[in-house]
Amino acid sequence: MKQVRNTHAKTEILNLINSSDVALTHSDIQKKLGDLCNRVTIYRVLERLENEGAIHKIVNIDGVVNFAKCSGKCTHEQHFHNHVHFNCKECHSVTCIENAIPEISLPEHFIAHEYNFIISGICPKCADA
């Protein structure tokens, strides 16, 4: 088994993602970190955190990759993210909605292992503004 390395950059990136109510893009993370590390280091840390089961990726409706914390059931062997992701068309935030799980019925002989379900619309913050 591969050893888990904890660096200052990894700790800070994980703290940012864990404390955010919305999924963060690489650019969001880079802005919040300032000069702590370069963009390549951020990509490597994000990949490592995803492989360890700490975060998951969501591709929003614009094709931008966002990163969000895992629910706690994930491991380095398997992720469990069969939930809805809400993409706001106004502020472009992406939010994991764990308690809304769509029911999917596939034709015979199709076996689903995971899916990425994105709903786009207006988030509560933008609707109230």
Side-chain angles (χ1 to χ4, degrees):
M1 187 159 127
K2 200 172 184 182
Q3 182 179 357
V4 176
R5 291 186 348 224
N6 289 319
T7 63
H8 184 59
K10 180 181 168 186
T11 301
E12 290 303 315
I13 291 169
L14 187 57
N15 286 342
L16 277 175
I17 292 171
N18 283 340
S19 64
S20 179
D21 292 335
V22 297
L24 300 174
T25 65
H26 179 278
S27 179
D28 295 334
I29 294 166
Q30 191 170 9
K31 285 177 194 165
K32 291 175 188 264
L33 289 178
D35 294 332
L36 178 65
C37 56
N38 64 36
R39 64 182 184 80
V40 175
T41 300
I42 295 170
Y43 280 118
R44 287 184 182 140
V45 169
L46 289 170
E47 183 178 9
R48 191 176 323 134
L49 288 169
E50 184 182 17
N51 289 339
E52 291 173 3
I55 65 171
H56 67 284
K57 295 189 232 205
I58 307 126
V59 179
N60 72 13
I61 58 173
D62 299 322
V64 176
V65 178
N66 293 259
F67 299 90
K69 62 186 167 190
C70 286
S71 62
K73 297 181 274 184
C74 299
T75 67
H76 67 281
E77 291 145 356
Q78 190 172 9
H79 281 270
F80 300 92
H81 298 290
N82 295 339
H83 57 260
V84 172
H85 296 100
F86 189 89
N87 193 152
C88 181
K89 288 182 159 192
E90 294 287 321
C91 67
H92 305 285
S93 65
V94 176
T95 307
C96 293
I97 303 177
E98 300 277 348
N99 59 353
I101 300 171
E103 187 175 315
I104 296 174
S105 178
L106 294 173
E108 192 175 337
H109 304 295
F110 285 86
I111 301 169
H113 287 266
E114 60 185 77
Y115 55 85
N116 186 6
F117 198 81
I118 297 180
I119 298 174
S120 65
I122 307 299
C123 72
K125 239 192 264 184
C126 292
D128 292 341

